[in-house]
Amino acid sequence: MQTLTLQTPDDWHVHFRDTALLRETVPATARVFRRAIAMPNLVPPVSTTAAASAYKQRLLDARPAGSAFEPLMTLYLTPTLDATEIARAAAAGIRAVKLYPAGATTHSEAGVGDLDSIYPTLEALQAHGMLLLVHGEVVDPAVDVFDREREFIDRHLRRIAERMPDLKIVLEHISTREAVEFVTEAGANVAATITPQHLLLNRNDLLVGGLKPHNYCLPVLKRRTHQEALRAAAVSGSRKFFLGTDSAPHEQMAKESSCGCAGCYSAPTALELYAQIFDELGALDRLEGFASHHGADFYGLPRNTGHVTLVRQPWSIPERIALPGGGTLVPLLAGMQLDWQIQTIGSERL
């Protein structure tokens, strides 16, 4: 196969950040994706309908001229988020609420400490048909960092999914075999996103031969056996698994500092990376479902009508991306040769 045409895809998990960074991150996602779920972990967090509406306008203002790209907004689930605000958000067309266990990842300090306390909030989400998006890791310091996703599923998520059978739940950026098994076996109300980094890399790519900060993300990369389980799930054709890049920019100096901020910036090459993976696994015929159908169907949104065509033609990911106003980003797998690149983007499905 030398060309591959897909119905226009969506990205169901993106960190755009804010202010000057939007001039890089929004066009990078909008170049191939028609819609994207915008994460709310700004400082301060996007925890009200008014804040989400204002943030959406900033995202729209950063679109390239003539772009039809649509950011889909979320609220940050804080301990004070109540049923009144959820009703207001639902009426405004906000699609989902994001659960961050407090301290689990970047800008999660405003998240939830006591997960047993949020059931009234979850009941309100269920009543209004909004989705719960989950960063699924415990923050218990006694739990090994490589086991935190599994522990979250066992301690919390199984109970939430069983108690709230009509609440749609997306376990985001899954990273373990146990997460694949949980999502597969759970009811129709549970799905998951899978990132390019968790499909392409394992913990050897983070640690062997020296720490590689640009491969550091949360949930942290796991053993190869977990990577293989994720790859099998992505190409399985199951409608429970779909594309969510978790593209998360940090400036080069922040990634390479003692902080070593968690997050991989994949937006400029995301679809090409997924094509590389599906090609390696002999499953290019299933990429369209994963990228363009399953997420829209789970969210209850219409599938897109346009198309994106990729061509088999080697090229290399840039080593660095200059930011408007100064500074640089290092994209995921900078310098790597890819076999697929975007050829055409059209407004109608071929």
Side-chain angles (χ1 to χ4, degrees):
M1 182 183 294
Q2 297 303 310
T3 62
L4 175 65
T5 297
L6 309 174
Q7 203 160 352
T8 302
D10 301 300
D11 188 342
W12 300 100
H13 186 148
V14 181
H15 297 270
F16 291 108
R17 309 303 188 204
D18 208 351
T19 61
L21 264 177
L22 299 184
R23 288 184 282 162
E24 160 59 30
T25 59
V26 173
T29 292
R31 73 188 181 99
V32 294
F33 295 109
R34 175 63 176 77
R35 297 170 293 208
I37 288 284
M39 290 294 105
N41 58 330
L42 305 183
V43 180
V46 180
S47 57
T48 67
T49 304
S53 297
Y55 185 36
K56 181 174 184 177
Q57 188 58 55
R58 297 196 296 276
L59 295 172
L60 292 172
D61 291 343
R63 292 184 302 182
S67 172
F69 171 72
E70 179 186 5
L72 303 176
M73 308 313 293
T74 60
L75 292 189
Y76 193 121
L77 203 169
T78 67
T80 58
L81 182 64
D82 60 20
T84 300
E85 191 61 40
I86 289 170
R88 188 177 294 119
I94 294 173
R95 309 301 308 182
V97 167
K98 178 65 180 277
L99 167 61
Y100 292 103
T105 189
T106 303
H107 300 159
S108 61
E109 295 79 8
V112 177
D114 178 12
L115 269 72
D116 289 334
S117 70
I118 64 171
Y119 277 94
T121 305
L122 301 184
E123 289 169 356
L125 291 178
Q126 183 173 245
H128 288 281
M130 293 178 68
L131 282 77
L132 176 68
L133 314 182
V134 180
H135 182 112
E137 292 187 287
V138 300
V139 294
D140 184 343
V143 177
D144 189 286
V145 68
F146 292 103
D147 297 329
R148 290 181 177 185
E149 183 174 87
R150 184 192 68 200
E151 284 293 316
F152 184 91
I153 291 168
D154 289 343
R155 293 186 189 185
H156 304 292
L157 199 54
R158 290 186 192 279
R159 184 154 48 99
I160 291 172
E162 291 169 2
R163 184 167 165 179
M164 304 280 175
D166 295 322
L167 174 63
K168 284 189 173 182
I169 301 168
V170 180
L171 180 55
E172 298 194 306
H173 46 47
I174 60 172
S175 64
T176 59
R177 181 181 64 251
E178 290 85 0
V180 170
E181 292 169 352
F182 165 73
V183 172
T184 300
E185 295 165 5
N189 62 316
V190 177
T193 55
I194 310 180
T195 74
Q197 61 264 27
H198 288 104
L199 292 170
L200 286 160
L201 305 172
N202 58 61
R203 66 188 189 181
N204 278 359
D205 300 296
L206 175 64
L207 300 170
V208 172
L211 182 65
K212 300 175 180 64
H214 297 287
N215 291 347
Y216 174 49
C217 58
L218 289 173
V220 70
L221 300 170
K222 306 298 195 299
R223 290 181 182 271
R224 183 173 179 175
T225 53
H226 294 290
Q227 178 192 9
E228 290 172 346
L230 296 173
R231 286 161 74 93
V235 303
S236 67
S238 170
R239 305 176 72 82
K240 284 174 162 276
F241 301 102
F242 43 86
L243 186 156
T245 62
D246 192 22
S247 181
H250 293 280
E251 288 197 45
Q252 182 176 359
M253 63 180 183
K255 288 290 286 180
E256 296 175 2
S257 72
S258 58
C259 162
C261 301
C264 299
Y265 185 52
S266 59
T269 56
L271 191 60
E272 297 93 326
L273 288 168
Y274 283 111
Q276 188 87 7
I277 297 158
F278 277 67
D279 194 11
E280 289 175 3
L281 297 174
L284 281 172
D285 60 318
R286 294 187 172 178
L287 179 57
E288 184 173 55
F290 179 82
S292 310
H293 297 165
H294 301 168
D297 294 348
F298 190 79
Y299 271 77
L301 294 171
R303 296 176 181 180
N304 298 315
T305 58
H307 73 275
V308 175
T309 297
L310 298 97
V311 60
R312 188 187 296 276
Q313 184 172 322
W315 66 290
S316 295
I317 299 173
E319 295 283 351
R320 291 174 182 79
I321 297 169
L323 288 172
T328 58
L329 295 174
V330 176
L332 178 64
L333 298 175
M336 175 182 171
Q337 181 176 296
L338 297 179
D339 296 328
W340 292 91
Q341 63 177 283
I342 304 299
Q343 183 183 57
T344 60
I345 299 172
S347 59
E348 296 297 331
R349 182 73 168 100
L350 296 180

